[in-house]
Amino acid sequence: MHKPHLSFSQILNMNVGFLGIQFSFGLQQANMSPIYQMLGADGKDLPYLWLAGPVTGLLVQPLIGAMSDRTTHRLGRRTPYFLIGALICSLGLLLMPFSPALWFAAGLLWILDAANNVTMEPYRAYVSDRLREEQHASGFLTQASFTGLAQTLAYLTPSLLVFFGMNKDALGANGIPVVTTLAFMLGALLSFTTVWWSIRKVPELPLPAAEIARLRALPHGFVPALAEIWAALRDMPPVMRRLWWMALFQWYGMMCYWIYIVPTLAATVFGTDDPASSGFRDAALLNGQVGGFYNAVAFVAAFAMVPFTKRLGAKWVHAFALVCAAAGMWALPGITGVDNQAWLFLPMLGIGLAWGSIMGNPYVLLAGSIPPERAGVYMGIFNMFIVIPMLIQAVTLPLVYDSLLGGRPENVIRLAGVLLALAALCVLAVKTPKSS
């Protein structure tokens, strides 16, 4: 199928939908641990309460990816999944900050993450479908930039609301700050409207008649999709197999960071472990500020990486970025006291560089190694490389939280630094056609 060369503005427009998807993920990363603890969760149980994302990703993304590969809907192969997922996600975001109890918030996160996952991998496959191979770096790193921008906005929204005059200590009936509630409402608006914008501005390419006939002749439904996933796993390209070890350490480490950064800042900067204290709410706002900064760095860095990735190769750029993040993770817990909190932005440079790379460069490596007709299922399977490490983290970290990490959240952040350094070594072991 002929793919026209897309202009830079077209590549931007086709990735605007990622703004809404990643704004939703940013709200979860910045706020779910504080929400859970405000509703009564214990620190050691937080990984269990975050299981929704990994489990739904493991089950939903490969299945939806395989189904989208065989879809012949009049709107396109991927578009129906974008729209359904984005709509359900908007409804979940509207309800989340009004959760009356811990069980309700945990259950709602399962629905919210399932909806995000319905949208996510068809979207990545859509970028692979729409772009020529020489434009993959531009496409996926632009997508990474929108991830950085969206999560910058998601992290900063509560602090911006406070800056414009809202009371940071104003609470809803369930104890969740009003500024958090308003941030989730904004996310609900963005989730659907941005996806709608992208598919309107850069619609999918119509499939040739022969391809439509081939797809319609294939079996459809749940069981054939599972069979396709199994066949794709069996035929997995060597480059993709080698990316597993990088993904294991990378995503285990990032999950440690997202879950424990607010408790860490509360302890090291504000000297409190009490989720009901003003200092803990200050830590949540501070996390919004430093998290917004590292995502802003990711937004800029992802664009800046394009020429380096094209010249040096995605794996070398990604390894460098991961090492910078590892150094940043190790530095974070050593910055203590309210008077020193401005220094937190320095290690965030490394974390932001890595986040911009994480959301782009591995997909550059992947997209060049998979057959185009199986882009959906392989993008979905590659998401298993994300969620399985998250599941391993959720199951194993509580077992060592007290015994090996001293029951201290700041030690979890240090562990994340070690894991990201190991991920850098693993990505260097990936042999691609250009580097072999």
PDB file of all heavy atoms in Angstrom, residues 367-391:
ATOM      1  N   ALA A 367       9.276  -0.729  15.463  1.00  0.00           N
ATOM      2  CA  ALA A 367       8.534  -0.549  14.214  1.00  0.00           C
ATOM      3  C   ALA A 367       9.331  -1.010  12.993  1.00  0.00           C
ATOM      4  O   ALA A 367       8.755  -1.481  12.013  1.00  0.00           O
ATOM      5  CB  ALA A 367       8.124   0.916  14.056  1.00  0.00           C
ATOM      6  N   GLY A 368      10.651  -0.887  13.057  1.00  0.00           N
ATOM      7  CA  GLY A 368      11.477  -1.314  11.932  1.00  0.00           C
ATOM      8  C   GLY A 368      11.692  -2.808  11.858  1.00  0.00           C
ATOM      9  O   GLY A 368      12.291  -3.298  10.894  1.00  0.00           O
ATOM     10  N   SER A 369      11.196  -3.552  12.869  1.00  0.00           N
ATOM     11  CA  SER A 369      11.480  -4.988  12.912  1.00  0.00           C
ATOM     12  C   SER A 369      10.240  -5.861  12.747  1.00  0.00           C
ATOM     13  O   SER A 369      10.354  -7.085  12.700  1.00  0.00           O
ATOM     14  CB  SER A 369      12.161  -5.341  14.247  1.00  0.00           C
ATOM     15  OG  SER A 369      11.255  -5.222  15.330  1.00  0.00           O
ATOM     16  N   ILE A 370       9.032  -5.256  12.672  1.00  0.00           N
ATOM     17  CA  ILE A 370       7.814  -6.049  12.633  1.00  0.00           C
ATOM     18  C   ILE A 370       7.139  -5.924  11.260  1.00  0.00           C
ATOM     19  O   ILE A 370       7.235  -4.903  10.600  1.00  0.00           O
ATOM     20  CB  ILE A 370       6.821  -5.625  13.739  1.00  0.00           C
ATOM     21  CG1 ILE A 370       6.469  -4.131  13.628  1.00  0.00           C
ATOM     22  CG2 ILE A 370       7.392  -5.953  15.111  1.00  0.00           C
ATOM     23  CD1 ILE A 370       5.453  -3.672  14.644  1.00  0.00           C
ATOM     24  N   PRO A 371       6.437  -6.976  10.810  1.00  0.00           N
ATOM     25  CA  PRO A 371       5.728  -6.909   9.522  1.00  0.00           C
ATOM     26  C   PRO A 371       4.541  -5.944   9.616  1.00  0.00           C
ATOM     27  O   PRO A 371       3.795  -5.977  10.592  1.00  0.00           O
ATOM     28  CB  PRO A 371       5.262  -8.350   9.300  1.00  0.00           C
ATOM     29  CG  PRO A 371       5.275  -8.989  10.651  1.00  0.00           C
ATOM     30  CD  PRO A 371       6.353  -8.312  11.427  1.00  0.00           C
ATOM     31  N   PRO A 372       4.339  -5.091   8.619  1.00  0.00           N
ATOM     32  CA  PRO A 372       3.279  -4.080   8.683  1.00  0.00           C
ATOM     33  C   PRO A 372       1.883  -4.659   8.888  1.00  0.00           C
ATOM     34  O   PRO A 372       1.059  -4.068   9.581  1.00  0.00           O
ATOM     35  CB  PRO A 372       3.382  -3.366   7.327  1.00  0.00           C
ATOM     36  CG  PRO A 372       4.776  -3.609   6.865  1.00  0.00           C
ATOM     37  CD  PRO A 372       5.151  -4.957   7.394  1.00  0.00           C
ATOM     38  N   GLU A 373       1.604  -5.820   8.307  1.00  0.00           N
ATOM     39  CA  GLU A 373       0.264  -6.388   8.431  1.00  0.00           C
ATOM     40  C   GLU A 373      -0.035  -6.894   9.845  1.00  0.00           C
ATOM     41  O   GLU A 373      -1.181  -7.200  10.173  1.00  0.00           O
ATOM     42  CB  GLU A 373       0.062  -7.522   7.413  1.00  0.00           C
ATOM     43  CG  GLU A 373       0.895  -8.767   7.647  1.00  0.00           C
ATOM     44  CD  GLU A 373       2.301  -8.673   7.042  1.00  0.00           C
ATOM     45  OE1 GLU A 373       2.686  -7.574   6.595  1.00  0.00           O
ATOM     46  OE2 GLU A 373       2.999  -9.708   7.031  1.00  0.00           O
ATOM     47  N   ARG A 374       1.008  -6.965  10.677  1.00  0.00           N
ATOM     48  CA  ARG A 374       0.814  -7.399  12.066  1.00  0.00           C
ATOM     49  C   ARG A 374       1.169  -6.291  13.057  1.00  0.00           C
ATOM     50  O   ARG A 374       1.471  -6.558  14.209  1.00  0.00           O
ATOM     51  CB  ARG A 374       1.693  -8.624  12.351  1.00  0.00           C
ATOM     52  CG  ARG A 374       1.100  -9.936  11.879  1.00  0.00           C
ATOM     53  CD  ARG A 374       2.021 -11.095  12.216  1.00  0.00           C
ATOM     54  NE  ARG A 374       1.301 -12.341  12.348  1.00  0.00           N
ATOM     55  CZ  ARG A 374       1.869 -13.513  12.611  1.00  0.00           C
ATOM     56  NH1 ARG A 374       3.187 -13.586  12.765  1.00  0.00           N
ATOM     57  NH2 ARG A 374       1.145 -14.607  12.724  1.00  0.00           N
ATOM     58  N   ALA A 375       1.131  -5.045  12.591  1.00  0.00           N
ATOM     59  CA  ALA A 375       1.532  -3.935  13.457  1.00  0.00           C
ATOM     60  C   ALA A 375       0.688  -3.863  14.724  1.00  0.00           C
ATOM     61  O   ALA A 375       1.202  -3.625  15.821  1.00  0.00           O
ATOM     62  CB  ALA A 375       1.429  -2.612  12.692  1.00  0.00           C
ATOM     63  N   GLY A 376      -0.612  -4.077  14.605  1.00  0.00           N
ATOM     64  CA  GLY A 376      -1.491  -3.967  15.768  1.00  0.00           C
ATOM     65  C   GLY A 376      -1.176  -5.007  16.826  1.00  0.00           C
ATOM     66  O   GLY A 376      -1.024  -4.689  18.004  1.00  0.00           O
ATOM     67  N   VAL A 377      -1.081  -6.270  16.409  1.00  0.00           N
ATOM     68  CA  VAL A 377      -0.854  -7.326  17.397  1.00  0.00           C
ATOM     69  C   VAL A 377       0.531  -7.194  18.026  1.00  0.00           C
ATOM     70  O   VAL A 377       0.698  -7.404  19.234  1.00  0.00           O
ATOM     71  CB  VAL A 377      -1.067  -8.725  16.764  1.00  0.00           C
ATOM     72  CG1 VAL A 377       0.003  -9.053  15.741  1.00  0.00           C
ATOM     73  CG2 VAL A 377      -1.113  -9.784  17.857  1.00  0.00           C
ATOM     74  N   TYR A 378       1.557  -6.811  17.226  1.00  0.00           N
ATOM     75  CA  TYR A 378       2.891  -6.695  17.818  1.00  0.00           C
ATOM     76  C   TYR A 378       3.011  -5.467  18.719  1.00  0.00           C
ATOM     77  O   TYR A 378       3.731  -5.494  19.716  1.00  0.00           O
ATOM     78  CB  TYR A 378       3.964  -6.685  16.726  1.00  0.00           C
ATOM     79  CG  TYR A 378       4.365  -8.085  16.315  1.00  0.00           C
ATOM     80  CD1 TYR A 378       4.276  -8.510  14.990  1.00  0.00           C
ATOM     81  CD2 TYR A 378       4.822  -9.000  17.265  1.00  0.00           C
ATOM     82  CE1 TYR A 378       4.638  -9.792  14.612  1.00  0.00           C
ATOM     83  CE2 TYR A 378       5.178 -10.288  16.898  1.00  0.00           C
ATOM     84  CZ  TYR A 378       5.081 -10.680  15.580  1.00  0.00           C
ATOM     85  OH  TYR A 378       5.431 -11.957  15.225  1.00  0.00           O
ATOM     86  N   MET A 379       2.312  -4.381  18.385  1.00  0.00           N
ATOM     87  CA  MET A 379       2.290  -3.252  19.313  1.00  0.00           C
ATOM     88  C   MET A 379       1.606  -3.651  20.614  1.00  0.00           C
ATOM     89  O   MET A 379       2.006  -3.240  21.711  1.00  0.00           O
ATOM     90  CB  MET A 379       1.582  -2.052  18.684  1.00  0.00           C
ATOM     91  CG  MET A 379       2.373  -1.373  17.569  1.00  0.00           C
ATOM     92  SD  MET A 379       3.856  -0.538  18.189  1.00  0.00           S
ATOM     93  CE  MET A 379       4.539   0.098  16.644  1.00  0.00           C
ATOM     94  N   GLY A 380       0.554  -4.458  20.506  1.00  0.00           N
ATOM     95  CA  GLY A 380      -0.115  -4.941  21.704  1.00  0.00           C
ATOM     96  C   GLY A 380       0.767  -5.870  22.520  1.00  0.00           C
ATOM     97  O   GLY A 380       0.818  -5.782  23.751  1.00  0.00           O
ATOM     98  N   ILE A 381       1.476  -6.763  21.846  1.00  0.00           N
ATOM     99  CA  ILE A 381       2.386  -7.670  22.555  1.00  0.00           C
ATOM    100  C   ILE A 381       3.521  -6.882  23.199  1.00  0.00           C
ATOM    101  O   ILE A 381       3.948  -7.189  24.322  1.00  0.00           O
ATOM    102  CB  ILE A 381       2.931  -8.737  21.592  1.00  0.00           C
ATOM    103  CG1 ILE A 381       1.807  -9.703  21.210  1.00  0.00           C
ATOM    104  CG2 ILE A 381       4.107  -9.498  22.217  1.00  0.00           C
ATOM    105  CD1 ILE A 381       2.177 -10.675  20.102  1.00  0.00           C
ATOM    106  N   PHE A 382       4.002  -5.852  22.495  1.00  0.00           N
ATOM    107  CA  PHE A 382       5.076  -5.042  23.084  1.00  0.00           C
ATOM    108  C   PHE A 382       4.594  -4.363  24.365  1.00  0.00           C
ATOM    109  O   PHE A 382       5.388  -4.123  25.280  1.00  0.00           O
ATOM    110  CB  PHE A 382       5.557  -3.995  22.080  1.00  0.00           C
ATOM    111  CG  PHE A 382       6.869  -3.367  22.453  1.00  0.00           C
ATOM    112  CD1 PHE A 382       8.014  -4.130  22.575  1.00  0.00           C
ATOM    113  CD2 PHE A 382       6.970  -2.006  22.693  1.00  0.00           C
ATOM    114  CE1 PHE A 382       9.243  -3.563  22.914  1.00  0.00           C
ATOM    115  CE2 PHE A 382       8.185  -1.422  23.033  1.00  0.00           C
ATOM    116  CZ  PHE A 382       9.323  -2.207  23.152  1.00  0.00           C
ATOM    117  N   ASN A 383       3.311  -4.067  24.433  1.00  0.00           N
ATOM    118  CA  ASN A 383       2.792  -3.521  25.684  1.00  0.00           C
ATOM    119  C   ASN A 383       2.861  -4.543  26.809  1.00  0.00           C
ATOM    120  O   ASN A 383       2.936  -4.170  27.989  1.00  0.00           O
ATOM    121  CB  ASN A 383       1.348  -3.052  25.506  1.00  0.00           C
ATOM    122  CG  ASN A 383       0.850  -2.329  26.742  1.00  0.00           C
ATOM    123  OD1 ASN A 383       1.333  -1.266  27.085  1.00  0.00           O
ATOM    124  ND2 ASN A 383      -0.098  -2.926  27.439  1.00  0.00           N
ATOM    125  N   MET A 384       2.841  -5.833  26.473  1.00  0.00           N
ATOM    126  CA  MET A 384       3.039  -6.850  27.511  1.00  0.00           C
ATOM    127  C   MET A 384       4.421  -6.700  28.133  1.00  0.00           C
ATOM    128  O   MET A 384       4.624  -7.028  29.310  1.00  0.00           O
ATOM    129  CB  MET A 384       2.865  -8.249  26.906  1.00  0.00           C
ATOM    130  CG  MET A 384       1.450  -8.528  26.407  1.00  0.00           C
ATOM    131  SD  MET A 384       1.320 -10.037  25.401  1.00  0.00           S
ATOM    132  CE  MET A 384       1.623 -11.297  26.640  1.00  0.00           C
ATOM    133  N   PHE A 385       5.386  -6.204  27.340  1.00  0.00           N
ATOM    134  CA  PHE A 385       6.722  -5.955  27.862  1.00  0.00           C
ATOM    135  C   PHE A 385       6.711  -4.798  28.871  1.00  0.00           C
ATOM    136  O   PHE A 385       7.679  -4.617  29.615  1.00  0.00           O
ATOM    137  CB  PHE A 385       7.677  -5.592  26.721  1.00  0.00           C
ATOM    138  CG  PHE A 385       8.038  -6.732  25.806  1.00  0.00           C
ATOM    139  CD1 PHE A 385       7.331  -7.921  25.816  1.00  0.00           C
ATOM    140  CD2 PHE A 385       9.097  -6.613  24.933  1.00  0.00           C
ATOM    141  CE1 PHE A 385       7.662  -8.954  24.967  1.00  0.00           C
ATOM    142  CE2 PHE A 385       9.446  -7.643  24.081  1.00  0.00           C
ATOM    143  CZ  PHE A 385       8.730  -8.820  24.092  1.00  0.00           C
ATOM    144  N   ILE A 386       5.652  -4.001  28.839  1.00  0.00           N
ATOM    145  CA  ILE A 386       5.498  -2.916  29.811  1.00  0.00           C
ATOM    146  C   ILE A 386       4.763  -3.409  31.041  1.00  0.00           C
ATOM    147  O   ILE A 386       5.190  -3.201  32.175  1.00  0.00           O
ATOM    148  CB  ILE A 386       4.738  -1.727  29.180  1.00  0.00           C
ATOM    149  CG1 ILE A 386       5.499  -1.169  27.982  1.00  0.00           C
ATOM    150  CG2 ILE A 386       4.484  -0.631  30.210  1.00  0.00           C
ATOM    151  CD1 ILE A 386       4.737  -0.107  27.206  1.00  0.00           C
ATOM    152  N   VAL A 387       3.647  -4.108  30.817  1.00  0.00           N
ATOM    153  CA  VAL A 387       2.772  -4.425  31.944  1.00  0.00           C
ATOM    154  C   VAL A 387       3.241  -5.627  32.755  1.00  0.00           C
ATOM    155  O   VAL A 387       2.988  -5.690  33.963  1.00  0.00           O
ATOM    156  CB  VAL A 387       1.320  -4.621  31.464  1.00  0.00           C
ATOM    157  CG1 VAL A 387       0.790  -3.344  30.844  1.00  0.00           C
ATOM    158  CG2 VAL A 387       1.184  -5.784  30.488  1.00  0.00           C
ATOM    159  N   ILE A 388       3.927  -6.579  32.134  1.00  0.00           N
ATOM    160  CA  ILE A 388       4.420  -7.714  32.919  1.00  0.00           C
ATOM    161  C   ILE A 388       5.442  -7.258  33.962  1.00  0.00           C
ATOM    162  O   ILE A 388       5.366  -7.671  35.133  1.00  0.00           O
ATOM    163  CB  ILE A 388       4.981  -8.825  32.008  1.00  0.00           C
ATOM    164  CG1 ILE A 388       3.823  -9.481  31.231  1.00  0.00           C
ATOM    165  CG2 ILE A 388       5.738  -9.878  32.825  1.00  0.00           C
ATOM    166  CD1 ILE A 388       4.270 -10.501  30.199  1.00  0.00           C
ATOM    167  N   PRO A 389       6.419  -6.392  33.622  1.00  0.00           N
ATOM    168  CA  PRO A 389       7.282  -5.847  34.678  1.00  0.00           C
ATOM    169  C   PRO A 389       6.508  -5.095  35.764  1.00  0.00           C
ATOM    170  O   PRO A 389       6.869  -5.161  36.948  1.00  0.00           O
ATOM    171  CB  PRO A 389       8.220  -4.902  33.924  1.00  0.00           C
ATOM    172  CG  PRO A 389       8.284  -5.467  32.548  1.00  0.00           C
ATOM    173  CD  PRO A 389       6.913  -6.004  32.278  1.00  0.00           C
ATOM    174  N   MET A 390       5.448  -4.392  35.375  1.00  0.00           N
ATOM    175  CA  MET A 390       4.633  -3.696  36.374  1.00  0.00           C
ATOM    176  C   MET A 390       3.943  -4.689  37.301  1.00  0.00           C
ATOM    177  O   MET A 390       3.838  -4.465  38.513  1.00  0.00           O
ATOM    178  CB  MET A 390       3.594  -2.813  35.683  1.00  0.00           C
ATOM    179  CG  MET A 390       4.174  -1.600  34.967  1.00  0.00           C
ATOM    180  SD  MET A 390       2.859  -0.631  34.176  1.00  0.00           S
ATOM    181  CE  MET A 390       3.804   0.780  33.573  1.00  0.00           C
ATOM    182  N   LEU A 391       3.453  -5.802  36.728  1.00  0.00           N
ATOM    183  CA  LEU A 391       2.836  -6.841  37.558  1.00  0.00           C
ATOM    184  C   LEU A 391       3.857  -7.475  38.499  1.00  0.00           C
ATOM    185  O   LEU A 391       3.569  -7.724  39.678  1.00  0.00           O
ATOM    186  CB  LEU A 391       2.222  -7.922  36.662  1.00  0.00           C
ATOM    187  CG  LEU A 391       0.917  -7.555  35.948  1.00  0.00           C
ATOM    188  CD1 LEU A 391       0.561  -8.623  34.923  1.00  0.00           C
ATOM    189  CD2 LEU A 391      -0.207  -7.409  36.964  1.00  0.00           C
TER     190      LEU A 391
END
